[in-house]
Amino acid sequence: MLKVNLWEVRTAKGLKLEAVAVMTGVSKSTLNNIENGKTSPTLANLEKIAKGLGCRISDLYDSEYK
Amino acid sequence: MLKVNLWEVRTAKGLKLEAVAVMTGVSKSTLNNIENGKTSPTLANLEKIAKGLGCRISDLYDSEYK
């Protein structure tokens, strides 16, 4: 079961979506769609988010095929 | 620099795109676009590809933020 952890990582850092959008260059609506499971994040956006939040791409998801 | 290794993994297994499409449930055109760098793979498709090819998601890409 694929799980995306963006909401957990963002809230653990006490950040609002607006701040993450600025820090990562990924739009607030895309971040919101990822958090709500409406869209599956692209690898390119996962890298931007990891870079912007100072974490690893692997921190942002869980999968038995990780 | 984000690098997707689908072509390398596929060809190392001696598989054609058609076969990988059947094995993963990801369309041939999407696989082709991923290999040609036209689209960044979604995490959902990366999981399908890893599952279908019997490898790990992390085998399918390289990034300093891995």
Side-chain angles (χ1 to χ4, degrees), chain A residues 1-4 40-47 50-51 55-58 60-66, chain B residues 1-4 40-47 50-51 55-58 60-66:
Chain A
M1 175 69 197
L2 183 61
K3 168 109 182 38
V4 177
S40 181
T42 64
L43 191 56
N45 277 341
L46 283 172
E47 185 180 70
K51 185 176 178 183
C55 66
R56 314 217 62 80
I57 289 174
S58 53
L60 293 170
Y61 76 96
D62 285 310
S63 163
E64 61 190 280
Y65 301 94
K66 205 169 187 174
Chain B
M1 176 70 197
L2 183 59
K3 171 119 182 27
V4 177
S40 182
T42 64
L43 191 55
N45 277 340
L46 283 172
E47 185 180 69
K51 185 176 179 183
C55 66
R56 315 216 62 81
I57 289 174
S58 54
L60 294 170
Y61 77 96
D62 285 309
S63 163
E64 61 192 280
Y65 301 93
K66 206 169 185 176

Side-chain angles (χ1 to χ4, degrees), chain B residues 6 10 15-32 35 48-49 52-53:
Chain B
L6 177 55
R10 174 172 70 79
L15 294 168
K16 290 196 180 306
L17 277 179
E18 289 79 359
V20 176
V22 171
M23 294 162 76
T24 62
V26 177
S27 73
K28 183 183 162 189
S29 60
T30 297
L31 293 168
N32 199 39
E35 285 194 357
K48 282 185 182 177
I49 295 167
L53 295 186

Side-chain angles (χ1 to χ4, degrees), chain A:
Chain A
M1 175 69 197
L2 183 61
K3 168 109 182 38
V4 177
N5 303 323
L6 176 57
W7 183 84
E8 291 80 352
V9 171
R10 174 173 69 78
T11 51
K13 292 174 182 283
L15 294 168
K16 291 196 180 302
L17 276 179
E18 289 80 359
V20 177
V22 171
M23 294 162 78
T24 62
V26 178
S27 74
K28 184 183 161 187
S29 62
T30 298
L31 294 168
N32 199 39
N33 286 336
I34 291 168
E35 285 194 357
N36 296 329
K38 276 193 200 146
T39 54
S40 181
T42 64
L43 191 56
N45 277 341
L46 283 172
E47 185 180 70
K48 282 184 182 178
I49 295 167
K51 185 176 178 183
L53 295 186
C55 66
R56 314 217 62 80
I57 289 174
S58 53
D59 296 329
L60 293 170
Y61 76 96
D62 285 310
S63 163
E64 61 190 280
Y65 301 94
K66 205 169 187 174

